[in-house]
Amino acid sequence: MKTLAALLLAPALVLSAAPRPKTGPVRTAKEARAIAEQETGGQAVRARKIALNGASAGWEVEVRMSGEDRGWRCIVDADSRSVFTKTRIPNPEARKKR
């Protein structure tokens, strides 16, 4: 009986340990950079919080595209966790290693 209970509980334990997708607003520059990198395929070098849509906030992220002469400036909507706009810009300099 105990082994049957253990076998029935095992899948529930595995599913509860799985990483959950992020929900809620974007709170950090690191999260905003990750969203912009996923959208463009480049390397985010700068992120700053900006006002967006009056009440909600957003993030302006500059993305460097290696091997290209132009990068991207992405506006990430903090509420929807998506790229609001994407504009081509001169390629920003790479992040300096510390």
Side-chain angles (χ1 to χ4, degrees):
M1 189 67 164
K2 288 182 183 179
T3 56
L4 179 61
L7 288 174
L8 292 174
L9 287 176
L13 292 174
V14 169
L15 289 176
S16 66
R20 295 188 179 118
K22 295 274 187 179
T23 59
V26 177
R27 297 190 189 279
T28 65
K30 183 178 180 179
E31 288 179 86
R33 285 194 302 263
I35 292 167
E37 286 176 352
Q38 183 177 8
E39 176 76 18
T40 61
Q43 179 188 19
V45 294
R46 244 177 250 98
R48 68 182 185 104
K49 199 166 193 174
I50 59 170
L52 180 66
N53 295 338
S56 65
W59 293 86
E60 180 185 73
V61 183
E62 291 184 1
V63 180
R64 176 174 177 74
M65 302 298 291
S66 61
E68 295 183 27
D69 61 337
R70 298 181 60 120
W72 293 100
R73 176 176 291 124
C74 298
I75 305 298
V76 177
D77 187 334
D79 294 332
S80 67
R81 302 185 69 85
S82 63
V83 174
F84 186 68
T85 61
K86 203 165 65 166
T87 309
R88 287 296 243 176
I89 60 171
N91 221 0
E93 291 185 25
R95 277 193 281 197
K96 301 204 184 334
K97 293 185 180 183
R98 296 178 184 181

